[in-house]
Amino acid sequence: MSGQKKEFPITWGMVIDIDKCTGCGACMASCQTENNVEPQRDASNKLRSTSWMTVYELTNGKSYPDHDIAYLPRPCQQCGNPPCVSVCPVIATEKNENGGIVSQVYPRCIGCRYCVAACPYHVRYFGWFDPVWPEGMEKTLSPLTSVRPRGVVEKCSFCHHRWTLAKDAARAAGKDPEDLADGAYVTSCVQNCPSGALAFGDLKNPKHKVHELIKSPYAYRLLERLGTDTQVYYISRREWVRKLGDNYLKSE
Amino acid sequence: MSFSEIEKNWYPEGVERCSLGKFMKWLAVLGVVALYGFFAMLVCFTYGLGVTGLDNYFGFGLWITFDLAVIALGAGAFFTGLLRYIIRIDELKNIINLTVIKGFICYSGAMLILSLDVGQPIRSWFGYWHPNVHSMLTEVIFCITCYLMVLIIEYVPLILEQKQINKIPFLHNLAHQMHVVMPLFAGIGAFLSTFHQGSLGGMYGVMFARPYAFRDGFFIWPWTFFLFVLSAISTGPCMTVLICGFMEKVTGRKLTTYRIKSLMCKIGGTMLLIYMVFKYLDTWAWINDILPRAGLTFDQMFYGLVYGRWLFFTELVICLLVPVIFLLTPLRKKPFFMYSGAILACAGVVINRYVFTVQALAQPVLPFTKWEIYSPNWAEWATSLMVIAYGFIIMSLSYRYLPIFPQEVGLNKK
């Protein structure tokens, strides 16, 4: 609908098989620990708690015995045409050359929250208070991810630091860091998903599993008609689940 | 000589003012409200924005609604300045000072709220240092800052004309010279203000993934750019008239003639008519083109009471069509209709800014999300009231000591 899409030689993407997802929340927990998301003061307030990866519960709205539910994990959709990037007044968020991942530069963010307003997927979280770790728990902090101060917007980065580590490992092994093998770089949520519902890789690389997965007739993306052109794909063999990926008029 | 006797020498030539004691009581009441807001501001700065009612769903709330509304209503300054100095409608000299002060209050108040609203206020200057030329907010940051400077330049000669200050030859000459170049600043102000009023509208219009607010482009701008400009320049003069009428009521003195106020309302009404035509076209296109493209219907845009259809009809009929009739027909000659028209027009623009700020975010775009309700808490209300109290204080002091109304002496001769 708006803006221009940039193309990247490497396009990291995620494929989430909704029919395999059990809604266990392991992806949410692993994301929180990997990315130093502070323990929530009041996790009952879902509009205030920070969760870069959230699992939504979908329902077909029918009563028993036709009732059916599905779980939809939602990381940042890493839009090809991100609604958040063009609006940021200080270029704190950008669709740069790094595998098509939408970056978020915390030291530059002024906390105006315009990106929060622009994103329809609710992937952006604001630091409402200073982050505080209960005594002793600060030892669990990951040295690979920065801790955000209050007053800035944060979001899923596809565990970008892991890509850096994977490239370093490839260089050390004498391999091409720009042509990583499938599985050499995966996000923490993908690594810890017990049911194998999540897959990650270069969407453009035929050697990566996700390259094939997105060609599935059951694959779709969220809000496709808005033109955000996301790099996260979902798979479901259930039609009602696929239909919940976008808004449809009764006539459609 | 007592202080109250000395204080009388500070009044503009030939006017009467209430007693100093009464005035101090008035200021004290306003001061209490302002101090309460200042306390809330300190709480926000100390503990973070978690003390407000905002959340990750509603990044924008009362503060942004308030900002957009006061900036639109403060638009009387740039538009009246343009008409007075560039188009040369000479009669407006009798109300131009009031519009300048109103503009200054509105813009400085909005800046105050904005500095609170950003999560990292000491990084606010990044907007100038790392500007994203594609962001409408960058344009808003630049234009609001520059325009506030213009308003200060326009306000300074008014202060220099204070009876005692004006006795100093240098300041007297400075004020005179500033008046000479004022058409230049009126022009700059009109240019800057038009653009940032437009950019404020553009801010919403470019959110292409939010179908409630998104609008297609006219050249490089979403057409909300033009709608916001038009709504601001139509309600700005109406707001000036309302302030003038309110001041007359409070002080019990005639400050301008009915003819001037009627002229301002006629200008506002004419702009409101133009705005109405485009707003109706916009609404038609939104319902029949933008929403279907997003797979949404008109009915899905409303929910419950706070996001109800009543807002839509109130904004587009009661606060748009009705004031156009009141302000552009002979009904305007009757004060009831003129003031009612002005009040309705101003209420309409506030509703417009509210729905674009809050309802646009509350409306679920993902099919599996729900409407969420936002309610501002004490910290947001207190700080917003602080800005209103600040405005009252500035206006009260200006009225008491500065020669704002050229007609006041003549109109109140006994």
Side-chain angles (χ1 to χ4, degrees), chain B residues 12 15 20 77 91 121 134 145-146 199 210 233 238 293 311 327 343 349 359 365 409 411-412:
Chain B
V15 301
L20 182 62
E91 279 183 296
H134 301 290
T145 317
C146 296
S199 304
R210 295 282 189 178
I233 58 181
C238 295
R293 263 192 278 153
L311 279 168
L327 298 176
I343 290 170
V349 85
Q359 197 155 341
V365 184
V409 178
L411 287 172
N412 294 284

Side-chain angles (χ1 to χ4, degrees), chain A residues 17-56:
Chain A
D17 192 328
I18 292 180
D19 297 344
K20 285 184 186 169
C21 177
T22 60
C24 70
C27 53
M28 293 172 69
S30 57
C31 175
Q32 293 237 338
T33 46
E34 176 84 11
N35 291 294
N36 293 335
V37 174
E38 67 153 334
Q40 304 295 291
R41 284 156 201 249
D42 178 11
S44 66
N45 184 351
K46 299 299 177 200
L47 302 182
R48 269 287 179 83
S49 50
T50 302
S51 182
W52 291 6
M53 170 66 109
T54 289
V55 178
Y56 285 96

Side-chain angles (χ1 to χ4, degrees), chain A residues 176-192:
Chain A
D176 180 6
E178 299 301 316
D179 185 22
L180 296 175
D182 197 12
Y185 159 41
V186 290
T187 60
S188 71
C189 54
V190 172
Q191 185 183 13
N192 291 307

Side-chain angles (χ1 to χ4, degrees), chain B residues 39-85:
Chain B
F39 166 72
M41 195 166 100
L42 291 182
V43 171
C44 289
F45 282 142
T46 309
Y47 298 105
L49 295 181
V51 299
T52 66
L54 296 163
D55 54 47
N56 290 321
Y57 212 96
F58 296 99
F60 294 167
L62 174 70
W63 281 341
I64 296 292
T65 307
F66 183 82
D67 276 349
L68 292 177
V70 297
I71 285 179
L73 298 172
F78 89 90
F79 189 57
T80 315
L82 178 82
L83 297 173
R84 158 80 178 89
Y85 291 110

Side-chain angles (χ1 to χ4, degrees), chain A residues 66-119:
Chain A
D66 299 318
H67 180 59
D68 194 10
I69 57 166
Y71 294 99
L72 182 137
R74 188 245 49 205
C76 173
Q77 303 292 299
Q78 314 293 354
C79 305
N81 177 25
C84 54
V85 166
S86 62
V87 299
C88 176
V90 293
I91 325 179
T93 185
E94 204 179 356
K95 184 83 174 171
N96 57 24
E97 279 72 44
N98 290 334
I101 297 171
V102 178
S103 62
Q104 179 71 11
V105 186
Y106 309 123
R108 190 182 281 181
C109 176
I110 62 172
C112 71
R113 303 187 295 283
Y114 194 5
C115 55
V116 177
C119 174

